[in-house]
Amino acid sequence: MKKILITIIAAALAMSLPVTTSAKPTEKEVDVTLTSSALSIQTGQSIILSAVTKKHGSTYEVFWFGAHDRGTQLSETNDSYISTAVFNADKPGIYTIRYSIIMEAGKSDRKFTGTAICTVNVSEPITVTGAEVRNLTFRPLTRPDGSIYAYSAMGDIYTVWSNNTSSLYGRTFFIFSSNETVKDVDVTLYIEDKHYRFTVTVSRQQ
């Protein structure tokens, strides 16, 4: 009976003793400044992102989500970590890029974390898809006897774009024979060191 009592007392004492557990590292949020060379680009283009975080530890880990990491350097000028990444626009859409850094202060259990995000809008490039001739005016060309042998025509050339808009490009001049009511006109556009040629059908019947 005495043995059983001793065992019960020992067990009770063991349950009342504090249990020692390893403390979790404390974390502190820090500010990150995230900048991008552009926020709206077209497919086929790239942007450079830069994240600046004040140094709070001698060791660090950097994570980029949605962009390709290009490395991190310590700037001794402002005592900050500067991380860069590149984003390549392959398809149109809205993309969210996230940056994260974790720093540890020496041998202590304290960690410093910083995050930042930015949104990039990617669209298809606007291209030239055609041309139009509008606002035509005609002037009859006559012989000495007064008969009409042709018509001179002038009109405005408009560039047609892939986003369903158009813009005034310039003026054009051509000749209709007296019996022509419809004519195919070659229009050449020079835009950003490229030239485009389109055949536009115009009519003398308005």
Side-chain angles (χ1 to χ4, degrees), residues 8-205:
I8 292 172
I9 293 171
L13 287 172
M15 291 176 66
S16 64
L17 290 174
V19 178
T20 304
T21 58
S22 57
K24 291 183 178 179
T26 57
E27 291 189 3
K28 182 180 179 181
E29 287 287 332
V30 295
D31 293 331
V32 176
T33 302
L34 178 59
T35 58
S36 172
S37 57
L39 294 177
S40 296
I41 58 175
Q42 297 176 349
T43 55
Q45 296 180 331
S46 299
I47 59 172
I48 301 297
L49 300 109
S50 178
V52 180
T53 313
K54 195 72 176 177
K55 179 184 175 185
H56 290 278
S58 55
T59 61
Y60 64 89
E61 286 185 283
V62 164
F63 307 93
W64 285 96
F65 303 93
H68 301 289
D69 189 355
R70 295 182 64 179
T72 301
Q73 293 182 338
L74 174 63
S75 171
E76 296 181 356
T77 305
N78 54 11
D79 196 32
S80 297
Y81 291 117
I82 301 177
S83 304
T84 57
V86 62
F87 170 78
N88 300 312
D90 298 323
K91 296 179 181 179
I94 298 175
Y95 296 85
T96 298
I97 298 172
R98 184 175 182 270
Y99 170 79
S100 178
I101 185 170
I102 301 174
M103 296 171 285
E104 292 189 17
K107 296 181 180 179
S108 70
D109 289 331
R110 192 162 195 182
K111 289 186 177 182
F112 299 86
T113 62
T115 58
I117 62 172
C118 75
T119 302
V120 180
N121 186 17
V122 179
S123 60
E124 290 284 7
I126 300 174
T127 57
V128 178
T129 57
E132 294 178 353
V133 177
R134 305 176 189 172
N135 308 320
L136 283 169
T137 58
F138 299 92
R139 183 174 66 86
L141 304 176
T142 59
R143 299 183 181 90
D145 63 1
S147 61
I148 298 174
Y149 67 89
Y151 293 87
S152 66
M154 293 189 68
D156 296 325
I157 300 174
Y158 279 79
T159 304
V160 180
W161 302 92
S162 58
N163 63 348
N164 297 320
T165 63
S166 59
S167 59
L168 180 63
Y169 177 84
R171 297 277 285 170
T172 186
F173 168 82
F174 47 91
I175 298 292
F176 272 87
S177 64
S178 60
N179 59 351
E180 276 186 314
T181 56
V182 176
K183 187 179 186 72
D184 288 336
V185 178
D186 289 332
V187 175
T188 301
L189 309 176
Y190 294 90
I191 300 173
E192 296 181 353
D193 298 327
K194 295 181 181 179
H195 84 277
Y196 305 85
R197 186 174 181 178
F198 302 98
T199 299
V200 181
T201 301
V202 295
S203 173
R204 189 159 58 85
Q205 298 173 334

